[in-house]
Coordinates of all heavy atoms in Angstrom, one line a residue:
I83 N -63.3 31.9 16.3 CA -62.8 30.6 15.8 C -63.9 29.8 15.2 O -64.9 29.4 15.9 CB -62.1 29.7 16.9 CG1 -60.9 30.5 17.5 CG2 -61.7 28.4 16.4 CD1 -60.3 29.7 18.7
A84 N -63.9 29.7 13.9 CA -65.0 29.0 13.1 C -64.5 27.6 13.0 O -63.5 27.3 12.4 CB -65.2 29.7 11.8
H92 N -59.2 15.6 16.7 CA -58.2 16.5 16.1 C -58.8 18.0 16.2 O -58.0 18.9 16.4 CB -57.9 16.2 14.7 CG -56.8 17.1 14.1 ND1 -57.1 18.0 13.1 CD2 -55.5 17.2 14.4 CE1 -56.0 18.6 12.8 NE2 -55.0 18.2 13.6
I96 N -56.8 21.2 18.1 CA -56.5 22.5 17.6 C -57.2 23.6 18.3 O -56.7 24.7 18.5 CB -56.6 22.6 16.1 CG1 -58.0 22.2 15.6 CG2 -55.6 21.7 15.4 CD1 -58.2 22.3 14.1
A100 N -55.5 26.7 20.1 CA -55.8 28.0 19.7 C -56.2 28.9 20.9 O -55.8 30.1 21.1 CB -57.0 28.0 18.7
I137 N -60.7 36.3 12.3 CA -61.3 35.0 12.3 C -60.3 34.0 11.9 O -59.6 34.1 10.9 CB -62.5 35.0 11.2 CG1 -63.6 36.0 11.6 CG2 -63.1 33.6 11.2 CD1 -64.7 36.1 10.5
L138 N -60.2 32.9 12.8 CA -59.4 31.8 12.5 C -60.3 30.7 12.1 O -61.2 30.2 12.8 CB -58.7 31.4 13.8 CG -57.7 30.2 13.7 CD1 -56.6 30.5 12.7 CD2 -57.2 29.8 15.1
F139 N -60.2 30.3 10.8 CA -61.1 29.3 10.2 C -60.5 27.9 10.2 O -59.4 27.7 9.6 CB -61.4 29.7 8.8 CG -62.6 28.9 8.2 CD1 -63.9 29.3 8.4 CD2 -62.3 27.8 7.4 CE1 -64.9 28.6 7.9 CE2 -63.4 27.1 6.9 CZ -64.7 27.4 7.1
M140 N -61.2 27.0 10.9 CA -60.7 25.6 11.1 C -61.6 24.6 10.5 O -61.4 23.4 10.7 CB -60.5 25.3 12.6 CG -59.5 26.2 13.3 SD -59.4 25.8 15.0 CE -58.0 26.8 15.6
A141 N -62.7 25.0 9.9 CA -63.7 24.1 9.4 C -63.4 23.5 8.1 O -62.4 23.8 7.4 CB -65.1 24.7 9.4
N142 N -64.2 22.6 7.6 CA -64.0 21.9 6.3 C -64.2 22.8 5.1 O -63.4 22.7 4.2 CB -64.8 20.6 6.2 CG -64.4 19.5 7.2 OD1 -63.2 19.3 7.3 ND2 -65.3 18.9 7.8
L160 N -58.9 37.1 7.9 CA -59.3 35.7 8.1 C -58.2 34.8 7.6 O -57.7 35.0 6.6 CB -60.6 35.5 7.3 CG -61.2 34.1 7.4 CD1 -62.7 34.2 7.2 CD2 -60.6 33.1 6.4
I161 N -57.8 33.9 8.5 CA -56.8 32.9 8.1 C -57.4 31.5 8.2 O -58.0 31.2 9.2 CB -55.6 33.0 9.1 CG1 -54.9 34.4 8.9 CG2 -54.6 31.9 8.8 CD1 -53.7 34.6 9.7
Q162 N -57.2 30.8 7.1 CA -57.6 29.4 7.1 C -56.5 28.5 7.5 O -55.4 28.6 7.0 CB -58.2 29.1 5.7 CG -58.9 27.7 5.6 CD -59.7 27.5 4.3 OE1 -59.6 28.4 3.5 NE2 -60.4 26.5 4.2
I163 N -56.8 27.5 8.3 CA -55.8 26.6 8.8 C -56.1 25.1 8.6 O -57.2 24.7 8.6 CB -55.6 26.9 10.4 CG1 -54.4 26.1 10.9 CG2 -56.8 26.5 11.1 CD1 -54.0 26.4 12.3
C164 N -55.0 24.4 8.3 CA -55.1 22.9 8.1 C -55.8 22.5 6.8 O -56.1 21.3 6.7 CB -55.8 22.2 9.3 SG -54.8 22.3 10.8
R165 N -56.1 23.4 5.9 CA -56.6 23.0 4.6 C -56.5 24.2 3.7 O -56.3 25.3 4.1 CB -58.1 22.5 4.7 CG -59.1 23.4 5.1 CD -60.4 22.7 5.2 NE -60.3 21.5 6.1 CZ -60.5 20.3 5.7 NH1 -60.7 20.0 4.4 NH2 -60.4 19.3 6.5
N166 N -56.6 23.9 2.4 CA -56.4 24.9 1.4 C -57.8 25.4 1.0 O -58.8 25.0 1.4 CB -55.7 24.3 0.2 CG -54.4 23.7 0.5 OD1 -53.6 24.3 1.3 ND2 -54.1 22.5 0.1
I173 N -57.3 34.6 0.4 CA -57.3 34.1 1.8 C -55.9 33.7 2.2 O -55.2 33.1 1.4 CB -58.2 32.9 2.0 CG1 -59.6 33.3 1.6 CG2 -58.2 32.4 3.4 CD1 -60.6 32.1 1.5
E174 N -55.4 34.1 3.4 CA -54.2 33.6 3.9 C -54.3 32.2 4.4 O -55.2 31.9 5.2 CB -53.6 34.5 5.0 CG -52.2 34.3 5.3 CD -51.6 35.4 6.1 OE1 -52.3 36.3 6.6 OE2 -50.3 35.3 6.3
I175 N -53.5 31.3 4.0 CA -53.5 29.9 4.3 C -52.3 29.5 5.2 O -51.2 29.8 4.8 CB -53.6 29.0 3.1 CG1 -54.7 29.4 2.1 CG2 -53.6 27.5 3.5 CD1 -56.1 29.1 2.7
I176 N -52.6 28.8 6.3 CA -51.5 28.2 7.1 C -51.8 26.7 7.1 O -52.7 26.3 7.8 CB -51.5 28.8 8.5 CG1 -51.3 30.3 8.5 CG2 -50.4 28.1 9.3 CD1 -50.0 30.8 7.9
N177 N -51.0 26.0 6.4 CA -51.2 24.6 6.2 C -49.9 23.9 5.9 O -49.0 24.5 5.4 CB -52.2 24.3 5.1 CG -52.8 22.9 5.1 OD1 -52.6 22.2 6.1 ND2 -53.4 22.5 4.0
I178 N -49.8 22.6 6.3 CA -48.6 21.8 5.9 C -48.7 21.5 4.4 O -49.7 21.8 3.8 CB -48.5 20.5 6.7 CG1 -49.7 19.6 6.4 CG2 -48.4 20.8 8.2 CD1 -49.5 18.2 6.8
L212 N -56.9 19.4 0.4 CA -56.0 18.8 1.3 C -54.7 18.4 0.6 O -53.6 18.5 1.2 CB -56.6 17.6 2.0 CG -57.8 17.8 2.9 CD1 -58.4 16.5 3.4 CD2 -57.4 18.6 4.1
Q310 N -49.7 16.5 11.8 CA -49.6 17.8 11.2 C -48.8 18.8 12.2 O -48.5 19.9 11.7 CB -50.9 18.4 10.9 CG -51.8 17.6 9.9 CD -53.0 18.3 9.5 OE1 -53.0 19.4 8.9 NE2 -54.2 17.8 9.9
Q311 N -48.6 18.4 13.4 CA -48.1 19.3 14.4 C -48.9 20.6 14.5 O -48.4 21.7 14.3 CB -46.6 19.6 14.1 CG -45.7 18.4 14.1 CD -44.3 18.6 14.1 OE1 -43.6 18.6 15.1 NE2 -43.7 18.8 12.9
S312 N -50.2 20.4 14.7 CA -51.2 21.4 14.7 C -50.9 22.6 15.5 O -51.2 23.8 15.2 CB -52.6 20.9 15.0 OG -52.9 19.8 14.2
E313 N -50.3 22.4 16.7 CA -50.0 23.5 17.6 C -49.1 24.5 16.9 O -49.2 25.7 17.2 CB -49.3 22.9 18.9 CG -50.2 22.1 19.8 CD -50.4 20.7 19.3 OE1 -49.7 20.3 18.3 OE2 -51.1 19.9 19.9
I314 N -48.1 24.0 16.1 CA -47.2 25.0 15.4 C -48.0 25.8 14.4 O -47.8 27.0 14.3 CB -46.1 24.2 14.7 CG1 -45.2 23.5 15.8 CG2 -45.2 25.1 13.9 CD1 -44.1 22.6 15.2
L315 N -48.9 25.1 13.7 CA -49.8 25.8 12.7 C -50.6 26.9 13.4 O -50.8 28.0 12.9 CB -50.6 24.8 11.9 CG -49.9 23.8 11.1 CD1 -51.0 22.8 10.5 CD2 -49.1 24.4 10.0
V316 N -51.2 26.5 14.5 CA -52.1 27.4 15.2 C -51.3 28.6 15.7 O -51.8 29.8 15.5 CB -52.8 26.6 16.4 CG1 -53.4 27.6 17.4 CG2 -53.8 25.7 15.9
N317 N -50.2 28.4 16.3 CA -49.4 29.5 16.8 C -49.0 30.5 15.7 O -49.0 31.7 15.8 CB -48.2 29.0 17.5 CG -48.5 28.5 18.9 OD1 -49.4 29.0 19.6 ND2 -47.7 27.5 19.4
E318 N -48.7 29.9 14.5 CA -48.3 30.8 13.4 C -49.5 31.6 12.9 O -49.4 32.8 12.6 CB -47.8 29.9 12.2 CG -47.4 30.7 10.9 CD -46.3 31.6 11.1 OE1 -45.4 31.4 12.0 OE2 -46.2 32.6 10.4
A319 N -50.7 31.0 12.8 CA -51.9 31.7 12.3 C -52.3 32.8 13.3 O -52.6 33.9 12.9 CB -53.0 30.7 12.2
I320 N -52.2 32.5 14.6 CA -52.6 33.5 15.6 C -51.6 34.6 15.7 O -52.0 35.8 15.9 CB -52.9 32.8 17.0 CG1 -54.1 31.9 16.9 CG2 -53.0 33.8 18.1 CD1 -54.5 31.1 18.1

Side-chain angles (χ1 to χ4, degrees):
I83 299 176
H92 183 248
I96 57 179
I137 299 175
L138 183 62
F139 190 84
M140 299 178 174
N142 288 319
L160 183 149
I161 294 181
Q162 188 166 7
I163 187 172
C164 292
R165 62 186 56 246
N166 305 310
I173 302 170
E174 192 167 9
I175 304 292
I176 302 296
N177 194 13
I178 63 164
L212 295 174
Q310 299 189 67
Q311 303 191 91
S312 304
E313 292 81 1
I314 296 175
L315 296 176
V316 165
N317 282 328
E318 179 64 26
I320 288 177

